[in-house]
Amino acid sequence: MIYDQNPPYPHYDHLPYAKEPWKSIYVFYRLFTTLALVPFWVTYYSILPKRYRPRASWNLRQIVNVNFTRRIFKVTEVAGVTWGTRDPTVAPDKSSLKETRFEWVEPLPSQFQTGIVKDTVPFTRVGCYIWPKEAHPAIQKVRKTEDNQHLISSLDLETGNEDVPLVGIFMHGGGYCHMSAHESSRTSRIPRNLVKRKILQEVYAVEYRLLQHAPFPAVVQDAAAVYAHVVEQYGIKHSKCKIILIGDSSGGNLVLSLARWLRDEGHLPLPHGLLLLSPSCDTSHALPETLSSYIPRPNQFTDYLVDTPEPRALLQRTFLGFKYHVDAPSIEEERRLMEVVHSEYVSPCSPIVLKRWGHELKQDPEGEHEARFTRHIFKRLPTDLRNTRAPENLNVVTAQVSVDGDNPYHKSCRFPKLFGDFPRTLVVCGDAERLVREVRSLVAAMTADGVDLQVHWARDACHDPLMLSEFWWDRTVLEEIWRAVKGWAKGFEGSDVNSKYRDNSLDPNPEVAAALKAGTLET
């Protein structure tokens, strides 16, 4: 089979310092000045009373870590510099893998290529890193012989057997621009600890295509391919397992999108649980023509996430597959962009989506920012066009479109609730991070929609604290998070937990189940 190997997607071409020599000059300047500030920060916060620190509980290492990372992050925003990435089309050197084993997964089977994943973006095979390197004894995977017959272990994990393994599928964070699923990546501290602490028996870390390689929905295509692979590996009706989708930051956004695709399309069983670690829930915030961009994010000085409006907007436009225009884009193109960015798959907790589903808006409870946003739309238009074009512009930027049954982004509208039928979920978020408000909106919406939900607010923690080592963050806070995760995972033991999802997993679709059993899935 021949796989597409496209050149890197031009996600940074129009950023202010994306071209040499300005790129190198800016990066050197930013790095040099940031390093020069470190001794100043140490001296300043050593003298200053603790109550004047960004958070009184923070030590000097935490302050330096947040300040340093925040300044360096801006390099990505204005120069398109990325770090910790890998070419997703190339397998890693086996000698570099000490804790995991690498495996190629075939492209998403053609039977499943429906909904938002059916796009002009090509389907490709996907690499994944499997934790631990040696399979856990409880893992009873189905292996195929050359004649496509399944070999089943003598221990068949029956429904209700407490030995049913918990298997995770991990989507790493990094704003869809940074990091990798490789075990050396910073975000790999998460699957490493999930296995080391015996919370999960096996974790598949997905090496999905970053923005540099393909726009949306490539990330969903790749995540769905690995999910289908795991379902097949565990053998429908033969070997039982409980699948947990795990994602940190943008990986949490991808988990929400994958779970929605699984629910809306109905090809495969729903996962048993979602573990969302500082999930990004509102991609629309980065686009200056959206309501979210008018709502300031909190905790500017206690988190390393930055908001550099115009460069970030360019990154988000290219992530969603829309090109940059020197001239103003047409109304029709803006309509399509707003339709995608305000879809339940991309920004499930944008104010527009939440209002569409009648949910409480935690970001703007008094509506003051929405009023300012609406006034600005009218001011952008010439006086003589305000009566004729303003309503149209307002509909475009608020994604007020009629539901089209043939539009894959509207499939969620067939369900009575935004998060209806979503599985058991744990949300972890630092109370000092910038995503606090959108995560609160997620929590409120999931609760209202009847999701079995638990939430852990990490004390004085910045964004995605589990990605940080104990040297750079408070060990006590990190241990509190891991105890919450372990306690939540224990809830999957026994036969009664999530029974409706487990029962569905026996027959996700009669035709698909038969194809899985016969080993005749098309790719």
Side-chain angles (χ1 to χ4, degrees), residues 459 470 473-483:
R459 293 182 298 107
E470 293 180 356
W473 209 256
D474 187 339
R475 180 177 181 178
T476 302
V477 173
L478 298 180
E479 287 298 323
E480 287 174 354
I481 298 174
W482 283 118
R483 282 198 296 271

Side-chain angles (χ1 to χ4, degrees), residues 423-493:
R424 190 165 175 263
T425 301
L426 172 63
V427 175
V428 176
C429 184
D431 63 16
E433 66 172 276
R434 304 203 75 177
L435 303 187
V436 162
R437 286 178 181 166
E438 61 191 72
V439 170
R440 284 176 180 159
S441 290
L442 173 69
V443 169
M446 281 189 153
T447 301
D449 287 347
V451 177
D452 183 354
L453 179 69
Q454 293 182 33
V455 184
H456 178 81
W457 294 100
R459 293 182 298 107
D460 293 340
C462 65
H463 180 67
D464 205 357
L466 291 185
M467 184 179 68
L468 304 175
S469 70
E470 293 180 356
F471 178 83
W472 289 112
W473 209 256
D474 187 339
R475 180 177 181 178
T476 302
V477 173
L478 298 180
E479 287 298 323
E480 287 174 354
I481 298 174
W482 283 118
R483 282 198 296 271
V485 172
K486 191 165 189 174
W488 173 77
K490 282 186 175 295
F492 291 100
E493 296 177 359

